[in-house]
Amino acid sequence: MPIRYEHSVNVRATPQRAFAVIDDLPLTAKWLPPCVSLEKVGSGPNAPGDKLRYVYRQGRRQGSMDGQIVARTPGERLHCKYFDSMFDVSVDLRVATASEGAQTMHTIEITPKSVMAKMFSPFIRLGIGKQTRDAATNLKKLLESTP
């Protein structure tokens, strides 16, 4: 059973700027707390089907996940999926016009695959909300502090 969390925040930035920052994969490490790096495997503009490599740090442990862009609508949506032996993770980031600029919507879904991962589910449920809210707050600060 997947663990799902959604969070939206309004930012004082244009939707185009908000999407450009979300679409700049290496910049993810500046706003997503566990992210050490996020890189596309290959070159060219981001597109569905592109392979990704995500490196993260949780506590003292560093790990990595392979990923893929599964949907991308320029200016509106970047949906990626990541996977390793323990989890499948879906990260769906959307941008819409809001009265003060843009609204960013973060939808995270984590599906434990192994027995060990399923045992960690209660702890993941406890932390996913804070991690997602922190990411949204960091993204907002980044967008509102730079032109």
Side-chain angles (χ1 to χ4, degrees):
M1 179 176 217
I3 301 162
R4 183 180 172 95
Y5 189 83
E6 294 182 32
H7 182 71
S8 297
V9 64
N10 288 347
V11 297
R12 288 187 307 272
T14 65
Q16 295 79 13
R17 169 133 169 71
F19 182 79
V21 169
I22 288 168
D23 200 43
D24 185 343
L25 301 176
L27 199 55
T28 305
K30 292 190 179 228
W31 58 269
L32 181 62
C35 182
V36 172
S37 66
L38 177 58
E39 300 290 335
K40 182 167 70 164
V41 178
S43 59
N46 293 339
D50 286 349
K51 304 291 184 208
L52 306 172
R53 187 74 175 152
Y54 173 60
V55 178
Y56 62 90
R57 181 176 305 281
Q58 289 289 94
R60 295 181 185 178
R61 180 179 169 271
Q62 184 166 307
S64 64
M65 299 181 93
D66 292 322
Q68 182 174 3
I69 296 174
V70 294
R72 181 178 179 273
T73 305
E76 295 178 18
R77 180 182 189 204
L78 182 64
H79 182 191
C80 301
K81 290 192 176 180
Y82 304 93
F83 39 89
D84 63 14
S85 62
M86 292 184 60
F87 299 99
D88 286 338
V89 179
S90 170
V91 179
D92 194 359
L93 301 168
R94 295 177 185 247
V95 177
T97 301
S99 60
E100 293 182 17
Q103 179 184 55
T104 60
M105 294 152 281
H106 304 238
T107 303
I108 312 301
E109 191 171 279
I110 300 172
T111 304
K113 297 193 302 191
S114 69
V115 172
M116 178 72 94
K118 290 175 184 174
M119 290 173 52
F120 283 115
S121 291
F123 300 107
I124 294 168
R125 265 188 192 51
L126 287 173
I128 193 172
K130 181 181 183 330
Q131 181 175 302
T132 305
R133 290 187 307 273
D134 287 351
T137 298
N138 293 343
L139 179 59
K140 178 182 173 95
K141 286 178 186 174
L142 180 64
L143 285 166
E144 292 181 351
S145 67
T146 55

